[in-house]
Amino acid sequence: MSTVNHCLYAISYTWKKSRSYLLLTLLIQVIVGFMPLASVWIIQTLINEIILFMTSSGDIQKVLWLFGLQMVIVILGYGLQFILQLSQQRATNLIGLHLKGELLQKAIRLPFITFEHPSFYNESQRVMNSHQHVLSMVRSIFTIMSALITVVSLLIYMVGIHWGLAAILFVFTLPVLWIELFFGGARYRLNRLLTANDRREMYVSDLVAQRDSLKEIRLYGIGNYLLQKWKGHYVKSADEKYKLLKRQVRWEMAGGLLMTFAYMCCGLLIVYLIFQKRLAAGTFVAVLQAVQNIQSGFQDLTRECSSLYETSLYVDEMRSFQKREEEHHEQAASLRRIDHIQSITLENLSFTYPNMKKPAIERIYFHMNKGERLALVGDNGSGKTTLIKCLTGLYDPDQPNMHKVNGESISTINKKTYHDRMAVLFQDFMKYEFTVKENIGFGRINDIDDEERLMSAARQAGIEKRINQMEDTYDAQLGRFFEEGHELSGGQWQKLAMARTFFRESDFIILDEPTSALDPLSEISLIRKLFDHTQNQGVLFITHRMGAARLADRIIVMKDGAFIEEGNHDELMALQGEYKRLYEAQSQLFQQKEMV
């Protein structure tokens, strides 16, 4: 029943997006379906007329007319296939544009935590090209319809000659249909089973082929090791597909033998009927051609039924993906919109990653007002980045009402309006290989054409000089992925990302290791400049450099997913705790470097 539902969905979707294609395909496939019957009738009549003509009782004009009609049918078949091919390509482009766009839009609207599930990436890889499966399902439906018209019309024709012909074909062809349906499902199950392996194979091949990873692979000499890993994944997938194909070929050979046996039996029955003087010679040739057309139609029928069943499994997964729960904060019209953020509060917040028993962070009490400058420090793995993702609303806490904005639970606030008043720069910030203008303007896409703000943001981030060195300045292409691209150093990319943050003009700025690619002096200079230009904004930044942390009004120390110390620099040093240990360890490191 689900396959029928998916067929109706495919037809309905195609009707909405490409009605002309659907109607044209329907017309062509109906014509194509009846063409074999017309051809068989013409052959039968033509041969009988030729025999009559050879016995001096036939009409040469009728022979030539029938022969010409046969040629018209052949040429018409070619023409219809050509028109259908063009129509299908146009529909593929149109449906691909709409459906893949809808799937990508769906991915954007999914809760961010969804992307923490490895299984999601397997599903996503299978789903993202589902627009091809929808149109493939429509093509299969119409091909089945055309094949049914061919088979049924020819069977009726053959029943009129002798009922035994239809019975033979029916009995020996049904097993072939079962074989195709069985292996259609088997191919889908195998593809689903191999998705994770294929993703690993793709990941390793990308590592070897991408510039950013290739430099380390070359220097460390791990190319052959990675090639062996790639080979293992590739061979596993290829072997499993070959094993299934080998089983399929064996069964299809058996089906082919059944079809051959059916053809032989029909031929013997026709010969018997001719000897009984019950059929003319033209009918003999026509029936053999009809048998071949029926068997060809049955093969089309079984192949397309198998394809339809297999494709419906992909469409089922796609429709399940479309029904995934979206970020509900953006869906409810009753949620309150905010036009500013005055304060952010976390009350006993905890967060646990999917499939994990122990919370990544817990017992977090936090309050920050607009205009404050806070630094977050701690060892790697202490939970700082996880906290930022909770603070920004990308992750929902384990319990409701743990996260409040302006004193209200974030569950009552439209999260998009919350994000609009916040600027975030993550440690793994994006390097958009687009223009300088786009790299900065993405901070507030609606204002991307505001040149004064673009230049001001670049100036604040200290990247203006490098931009002006490029011939096209703000229209210059960045990166080496596309032609005429300008490559930037790690620190320059980071300053460009900082400019994107400044361009946003938000109430709160959150920075996760914003200056890790800069030297300590450049970092302190940039943070001072940040504070000077954000007098009315709240700033929270993660850093491993205690010199930068000293600039903050308040410093929070994290360890093992919890806050353990809080205060300014002098207060934390007086505690003789974790902060002092971190500060003194870093100070000793710098002293040792100076001595060297």
Side-chain angles (χ1 to χ4, degrees), residues 107-117 121 327 389 393-396 415 426:
I108 292 173
R109 294 196 299 262
L110 291 175
F112 189 76
I113 194 64
T114 305
F115 295 84
E116 297 292 346
H117 295 263
Y121 292 95
E327 186 65 70
K389 290 177 180 177
L394 292 176
Y395 291 162
D396 291 326
K415 198 176 286 186
F426 288 103

Side-chain angles (χ1 to χ4, degrees), residues 431 436 463 466 470 478-479 486-493 496:
K431 301 176 182 178
V436 173
I463 192 65
R466 177 69 181 93
M470 304 178 199
L478 297 179
H486 296 266
E487 184 58 283
L488 302 181
S489 67
Q492 289 168 340
W493 273 114
L496 197 67

